Amino acid sequence: MWIPPAHRAARSVSFSSRLSRRGVIGAAGAAAAVAAGIAFAPKAAAEAAYDVEYVPRAAWGADEGKRFKADGTENSPTVYQPAQAMTVHHTDTQNGDPDPAATVRAIYEHHAITNDWGDIGYHFLIDEAGRIYEGRWSGNDGLPGHDRQGRVVTGFHVAGFNSGNIGIALLGTLVEQGPTEAAGAALVRLAGAMARFHGMDPRARITYTNPTNGAKREVTTLQGHRDWMRTDCPGGTMYGRLPAVRAAAAQRARK
């Protein structure tokens, strides 16, 4: 995805103490969340998902006004579906990014305003330091990207196959180089948590079925953007590493 350079001039955000709301939540917080309505998953699975650190939208500077039309209506109202798959992307932006939060804001601007999608298309984004950013708005409760019942909010990252498909984007261009060690570890951590939370095996071959139109696709539970459509995303090098990511995420999901 090309991001206009002008969009990259934006303020930086400090993350030192801003992992709030749906940020770092330990076992006690997970138990409370289960009691509040996320009892659809085993307690251990909920804890695994909640123990991942997330940078909330407010912390990376999301302007929530971009989600609304001039008349005040939400451009893309939230719709939720059970999770079926996870898709890995790269953002095709700068490697060695000095201000990843600004890049996330630029992607948000491009998706929400330029593309007129009404929000950022991915559920999660990961920067080179391994920080995991909350993407698509999903409400004020539950996990990032989910509602209280654990269903996934529909994003905008794989045309025709978005429902129930968790989009994870690595910041940078991963055509000739792979992700940093920190970013790769964060991807495994997040994918493993989501797999455990939803009872998915990242290595399994599945028949994805779009609940809105019945479209089907034979895929691996965790796959690259190019497995859905003609694109080089998530970059050749990153795509070649997906088997290792699947294996590591599956192992983590079993813990």
Side-chain angles (χ1 to χ4, degrees), residues 14-97:
S14 172
F15 304 102
S16 58
S17 61
R18 307 187 61 182
L19 293 170
S20 59
R21 185 163 66 87
R22 295 177 293 179
V24 183
I25 305 178
V34 170
I38 307 185
F40 59 91
K43 181 172 179 287
E47 289 175 0
Y50 272 85
D51 280 341
V52 174
E53 295 183 0
Y54 306 96
V55 179
R57 288 171 63 97
W60 57 257
D63 176 358
E64 300 299 349
K66 296 183 188 298
R67 297 190 292 109
F68 296 89
K69 300 178 182 179
D71 64 2
T73 60
E74 194 170 6
N75 192 1
S76 295
T78 52
V79 177
Y80 305 91
Q81 301 287 355
Q84 298 183 54
M86 294 178 278
T87 299
V88 177
H89 302 257
H90 73 162
T91 57
D92 202 18
T93 52
Q94 177 183 358
N95 293 327
D97 192 340

